[in-house]
Amino acid sequence: MGNNFPQGKCGCGGLIFWRPPPNNNNNNSNANKFENLSNASDTKKGQGGCEDITFSGTASSNKPTNSSTRSGTKPNHVVNQNYQRNHPKVSPTEGYVSNGRRVPKEAIGISGELESMITDRQKGSSNLVRASSSNVMMFNNLGNLRQGGNTNTYSQNPVANGRYTNQTVENVSKGNKEQPGSLCRVVSTRMNPEQLKIMGNEDYKNGRFQEALALYDAAIAIDPNKASYRSNKSAALTALGRLLEAVFECREAIQIEPRYQRAHYRLGNLNMRLGEMDKALYHYKQAGPEIDPDENAKVKKIQVHLNKCTEARRLGDWNKLIKETNNAISSGADSAPQIFALQAEAFLKLRRHQHAEEAMSKGSNFDVDHCTKFFGPICHANTLVTQSRVHLAAGRFEDALVAIQRASRLDPNNNEMKKVMRKARAAAAARSNGNELFMASKFSEASVAYGEGLEHDPYNSVLLCNRAACRSKLGQFEKAVEDCNASLSLRPSYSKARLRRADCNAKLKRWEASIQDYEILLKETPEDEELTRALLEAKEHLIQQRGE
């Protein structure tokens, strides 16, 4: 993480609060009394540390006291008695207990304090509340958790994998009008944002990117004008595959600090991966010494492949287009939706629909609004047009219509979009009409309906397969096999078409062809008993046929 991820880790002592167990006979809210029982030196503050402050108290049902009153300093043995009541094996000098081992306090930093607090809460402790902060925080500031007379419910478990998650705690008591809030927020907002960043850096280095992201978010909430927090958040988002969001965070960092070289370097890398080579070169130039000398050469190499892609598409050389898109992707533009869309378009032109679907699925599934914001409406509309065509070829008519409608809103003057819109609507209507007729056992009319859809989209594997089903019902086995052959040439993994072809070949007594299809299907679903039975029958018929 470079300069934004300091190697040093600043330790911070814990704040311990004790709350007496609720008295069933007296619910007086003034029954809590907190007493400062230790004095901590202020000299640690200059060294980046925090004081260890312990609070204890007693509750009396006969003499309620004001919770805001604090008594003077008590002897240390009082602290030991109160603390050991809940932790009998721990002395004041030994620190916390971790898996049966005593850990010195000085070895525990802020992250350890949070871990201890979470462990206490997981064990169901009702007396001890720990907060990693240099501020004295009353028990009520934690959202009145487990306060006498109140009932709190968690919308979700706030503790996951030994760490706080950013979940909401809702106080459902009618008498408490306090706003619901996040435990993580309540704790983090009382911390130094630099400490949150350090904790986030530690999580990032250990591969806990979601936790790191939450900590960077907390630091930004406290100090939104610190460029390093935004840049580090961008790194965590990148590790989680949320590249467009990472771009926007880097832009925020540069807006705050225009000459922030690390943010420029990250933004250069992101633009390269997203296929924006001119932007990548610009930010690499701004990165100064952060830039690797080979990065500029890599970007220029990808730009050469993209130029060749443009030329191949213009000439209709689809095989070359597939080759050059593969070269661009392998050279570093591995998350560019427009490059995968170009490759999918080439496969569609070559009537290799299954490969087109695979190519489109490899592209990052970014949010539509994020794509529009980053790539611009016209560029993203072109990607959506190709996506719609892929959905249509795969028989996902509703998805095709959704994608093309989004494209029409972004670029209403796109002529290619209008053609795809007409085709998608006609194919969807034909499939719907044909299905209704087929369910009504009107196989001849259903076959005609599917045929009308094929007039608009003659290489639609689903319409071909559906028409094959109608022809099979009408006893037109030869024509049904032809439709199945056409469907499987477009999508070799289309199991419905293969099953129908196997059944039709069996009825035509073409046992070898039928057996071949059944064996392929059984490799995909070996537990299918009907397929197994059909295969055995076909083999028996083949033996009999050869015996004759």
Side-chain angles (χ1 to χ4, degrees):
M1 300 296 293
N3 296 333
N4 295 326
F5 292 79
Q7 299 298 322
K9 182 176 180 181
C10 177
C12 179
L15 295 177
I16 302 176
F17 304 91
W18 183 84
R19 177 185 179 278
N23 191 323
N24 294 332
N25 297 325
N26 189 350
N27 245 348
N28 194 325
S29 62
N30 293 324
N32 299 334
K33 180 178 178 182
F34 295 86
E35 298 181 337
N36 189 343
L37 298 180
S38 68
N39 293 325
S41 173
D42 290 334
T43 57
K44 290 184 180 180
K45 291 183 179 179
Q47 302 172 1
C50 296
E51 305 163 347
D52 266 355
I53 304 175
T54 305
F55 289 93
S56 177
T58 58
S60 172
S61 60
N62 297 325
K63 296 181 179 181
T65 60
N66 193 321
S67 60
S68 63
T69 304
R70 290 188 176 84
S71 67
T73 305
K74 299 292 183 182
N76 287 337
H77 71 271
V78 177
V79 181
N80 295 343
Q81 291 171 1
N82 286 329
Y83 187 75
Q84 290 176 359
R85 189 172 302 152
N86 298 304
H87 302 74
K89 294 184 178 181
V90 181
S91 70
T93 59
E94 288 172 332
Y96 305 106
V97 174
S98 177
N99 298 326
R101 298 175 300 171
R102 293 186 177 92
V103 182
K105 285 185 178 181
E106 56 270 17
I108 307 247
I110 295 178
S111 184
E113 292 289 339
L114 283 174
E115 297 288 353
S116 300
M117 176 174 64
I118 294 163
T119 302
D120 288 337
R121 191 167 298 286
Q122 284 176 320
K123 291 179 180 179
S125 170
S126 62
N127 296 330
L128 184 64
V129 176
R130 189 185 306 278
S132 292
S133 170
S134 60
N135 299 322
V136 175
M137 183 163 57
M138 301 299 292
F139 188 85
N140 287 354
N141 289 341
L142 286 177
N144 291 332
L145 299 179
R146 291 193 300 275
Q147 189 148 335
N150 291 335
T151 303
N152 295 320
T153 58
Y154 290 81
S155 59
Q156 293 186 29
N157 186 359
V159 181
N161 298 325
R163 301 184 67 84
Y164 270 104
T165 58
N166 204 12
Q167 304 294 343
T168 300
V169 181
E170 299 185 62
N171 192 320
V172 298
S173 171
K174 294 182 180 179
N176 191 340
K177 297 182 180 180
E178 205 170 306
Q179 291 290 333
S182 163
L183 280 178
C184 183
R185 281 292 172 202
V186 172
V187 174
S188 66
T189 53
R190 289 163 173 79
M191 296 181 66
N192 187 324
E194 280 297 313
Q195 297 293 345
L196 290 169
K197 187 186 82 169
I198 292 171
M199 291 164 60
N201 294 348
E202 180 183 352
D203 278 336
Y204 183 93
K205 292 172 185 175
N206 291 321
R208 297 190 294 267
F209 305 120
Q210 195 67 53
E211 291 88 340
L213 179 61
L215 288 164
Y216 295 141
D217 270 332
I220 291 169
I222 300 170
D223 186 358
N225 296 317
K226 192 67 176 289
S228 63
Y229 303 162
R230 300 280 185 178
S231 180
N232 287 9
K233 180 181 177 181
S234 173
L237 288 167
T238 301
L240 292 168
R242 295 158 63 178
L243 302 191
L244 292 181
E245 295 173 72
V247 166
F248 303 143
E249 288 300 326
C250 264
R251 287 178 178 176
E252 289 288 339
I254 291 171
Q255 181 121 20
I256 296 168
E257 190 175 331
R259 296 186 179 181
Y260 190 13
Q261 293 179 339
R262 174 52 60 89
H264 279 291
Y265 178 67
R266 285 188 176 136
L267 201 46
N269 284 338
L270 288 166
N271 277 290
M272 179 186 68
R273 293 185 63 185
L274 292 165
E276 297 291 320
M277 300 304 136
D278 290 338
K279 295 177 183 177
L281 287 172
Y282 169 78
H283 288 292
Y284 279 152
K285 185 177 180 180
Q286 302 300 314
E290 289 282 348
I291 184 64
D292 188 325
D294 294 333
E295 296 295 337
N296 279 322
K298 183 188 292 187
V299 171
K300 290 176 181 178
K301 180 180 178 182
I302 296 172
Q303 186 63 65
V304 170
H305 291 308
L306 292 181
N307 292 337
K308 290 181 179 179
C309 288
T310 302
E311 181 65 14
R313 185 178 186 272
R314 187 182 68 82
L315 297 173
D317 190 345
W318 308 117
N319 286 310
K320 184 178 180 180
L321 180 55
I322 292 170
K323 175 184 176 182
E324 292 302 331
T325 51
N326 277 330
N327 288 337
I329 292 166
S330 61
S331 297
D334 57 359
S335 301
Q338 70 274 27
I339 296 178
F340 287 101
L342 280 173
Q343 190 173 90
E345 180 185 8
F347 281 124
L348 287 173
K349 293 292 186 181
L350 295 171
R351 298 175 190 170
R352 295 163 61 181
H353 292 182
Q354 185 171 316
H355 290 94
E357 188 174 3
E358 291 170 357
M360 206 68 196
S361 66
K362 289 177 184 176
S364 300
N365 187 23
F366 296 129
D367 178 79
V368 174
D369 293 334
H370 289 161
C371 279
T372 304
K373 182 179 177 181
F374 180 76
F375 296 106
I378 293 177
C379 180
H380 188 49
N382 289 329
T383 301
L384 287 172
V385 169
T386 304
Q387 187 181 80
S388 177
R389 295 177 63 198
V390 170
H391 284 317
L392 185 60
R396 295 188 294 268
F397 301 104
E398 292 76 12
D399 292 339
L401 285 171
V402 169
I404 203 64
Q405 286 165 0
R406 287 174 176 168
S408 68
R409 289 193 291 269
L410 294 174
D411 187 12
N413 297 320
N414 188 319
N415 291 327
E416 183 65 21
M417 176 274 300
K418 294 176 182 178
K419 292 178 183 178
V420 176
M421 176 79 79
R422 287 194 295 270
K423 182 186 289 188
R425 286 175 174 171
R431 196 272 300 267
S432 178
N433 187 29
N435 287 355
E436 289 180 6
L437 292 168
F438 188 91
M439 294 298 292
S441 298
K442 297 178 180 180
F443 304 119
S444 180
E445 293 88 340
S447 179
V448 172
Y450 293 133
E452 290 174 354
L454 287 166
E455 291 177 5
H456 295 275
D457 189 8
Y459 300 104
N460 190 287
S461 58
V462 171
L463 294 178
L464 286 166
C465 184
N466 286 6
R467 190 172 69 176
C470 295
R471 289 176 166 178
S472 177
K473 291 289 186 179
L474 294 168
Q476 302 171 5
F477 302 120
E478 286 285 0
K479 290 184 176 180
V481 169
E482 290 175 5
D483 280 344
C484 288
N485 288 340
S487 181
L488 287 167
S489 68
L490 298 166
R491 293 175 60 203
S493 64
Y494 194 6
S495 58
K496 272 190 178 180
R498 190 173 297 279
L499 180 60
R500 283 182 181 142
R501 187 173 71 175
D503 182 62
C504 289
N505 278 323
K507 289 173 180 175
L508 291 169
K509 297 184 179 180
R510 297 173 182 168
W511 304 115
E512 290 184 359
S514 180
I515 289 170
Q516 185 178 8
D517 280 334
Y518 282 136
E519 287 178 341
I520 292 172
L521 290 166
L522 269 174
K523 287 180 181 179
E524 299 172 359
T525 55
E527 71 283 354
D528 194 316
E529 295 180 358
E530 290 186 11
L531 281 177
T532 303
R533 185 164 51 252
L535 176 61
L536 292 174
E537 289 177 1
K539 287 181 176 180
E540 289 176 2
H541 285 296
L542 179 62
I543 293 172
Q544 292 175 3
Q545 188 182 64
R546 287 176 175 175
E548 294 175 356

